[in-house]
Amino acid sequence: MIEKPHLPFNSNDLMPFISEETIDFHYGKHHLGYYNKLIGMLKDRPDLANMNLIDLIRHSHGRDDMVGIFNNAAQIYNHSLFWDSLSVSPQKCCSTAAKLIQDSFGDLDHFKKEFSSAAAGLFGSGWVWLVKNSAGKLEIITTQNAKTPITNPTLTPLLVLDVWEHAYYIDHRNNRPQFIEDFVDHMINWDNVCKILGKVCH
Ligand SMILES: [Fe+2]
């Protein structure tokens, strides 16, 4: 059973960094568009009807006969984590997350530089992720199109930035670097990173 994704804030809550128009299009047309397409596809697949979203993504991953189901299911998950990765007010990197960042990247500035560089260097449409690996270290990875690290059970996605053009084109045209800078400097939801880690942010 796939639940309809929701937006965890109001469309104008991220201004001035992301406009109400961008959020309305991004959530209302793109994110819900993936959901509606998937629900339509599943009407012909009663065998998949009881799967939750993550199971469906993993089940369809890499299968030539399920490309459409994978793409739409993965985009639902990716966008939901993206909304949860955005804070409506600036947050300091809490000590729990800061310790992990320090162990993996040296310090917060190095993390921001590496994350921004990965986001700027991703060719075409895709996603930039902060994940925790099975050794407990954090890694920055990128995926193209709908690809998602949730297909890899050894990785725990903590944070994601959508760098498809639809995420920033209304506000910034082709200026992806500005969108990236706004994200890393003003919008990272560290509380949500701690929540996924199962820890209290302090
Ligand atoms: Fe998107």
Side-chain angles (χ1 to χ4, degrees):
M1 185 71 185
I2 308 301
E3 287 178 24
K4 185 176 180 179
H6 76 283
L7 193 63
F9 41 71
N10 296 316
S11 298
N12 61 356
D13 280 350
L14 296 164
M15 292 172 68
F17 304 115
I18 303 179
S19 68
E20 184 173 3
E21 184 183 7
T22 289
I23 295 295
D24 282 344
F25 264 87
H26 201 167
Y27 170 70
K29 304 291 182 190
H30 294 278
H31 196 183
L32 291 186
Y34 297 122
Y35 169 76
N36 290 329
K37 276 185 205 155
L38 181 65
I39 295 303
M41 291 173 177
L42 292 179
K43 279 184 183 155
D44 300 327
R45 296 295 303 261
D47 54 316
L48 306 174
N50 291 325
M51 279 192 182
N52 67 35
L53 186 63
I54 304 296
D55 288 343
L56 186 59
I57 292 168
R58 289 176 174 165
H59 179 74
S60 58
H61 180 232
R63 291 183 54 159
D64 290 343
D65 59 335
M66 294 182 74
V67 172
I69 288 175
F70 172 81
N71 284 339
N72 286 286
Q75 286 293 76
I76 294 170
Y77 166 79
N78 294 350
H79 280 91
S80 290
L81 183 60
F82 176 51
W83 305 134
D84 285 340
S85 297
L86 297 169
S87 172
V88 298
S89 56
Q91 289 183 10
K92 282 194 173 169
C93 181
C94 61
S95 59
T96 304
K99 173 82 171 60
L100 278 168
I101 293 280
Q102 191 180 2
D103 289 348
S104 305
F105 303 104
D107 58 31
L108 188 59
D109 280 346
H110 277 94
F111 159 72
K112 285 182 175 179
K113 261 187 199 163
E114 278 192 43
F115 192 94
S116 300
S117 171
L122 196 158
F123 183 78
S125 299
W127 302 85
V128 188
W129 305 80
L130 177 67
V131 299
K132 190 174 87 160
N133 64 25
S134 55
K137 286 271 189 185
L138 303 188
E139 295 177 35
I140 293 164
I141 62 171
T142 61
T143 58
Q144 288 201 302
N145 300 321
K147 292 274 173 62
T148 174
I150 202 68
T151 52
N152 183 343
T154 69
L155 299 177
T156 304
L158 302 174
L159 183 79
V160 68
L161 177 63
D162 184 345
V163 289
W164 283 56
E165 273 193 347
H166 66 226
Y168 57 86
Y169 203 82
I170 291 171
D171 297 335
H172 300 296
R173 294 297 185 254
N174 62 338
N175 191 355
R176 185 191 286 186
Q178 184 63 58
F179 175 63
I180 297 166
E181 187 180 322
D182 289 344
F183 176 73
V184 298
D185 285 344
H186 303 285
M187 290 190 285
I188 292 179
N189 190 341
W190 292 110
D191 285 353
N192 196 60
V193 170
C194 289
K195 188 174 154 193
I196 298 171
L197 289 167
K199 293 180 177 163
V200 176
C201 219
H202 58 80

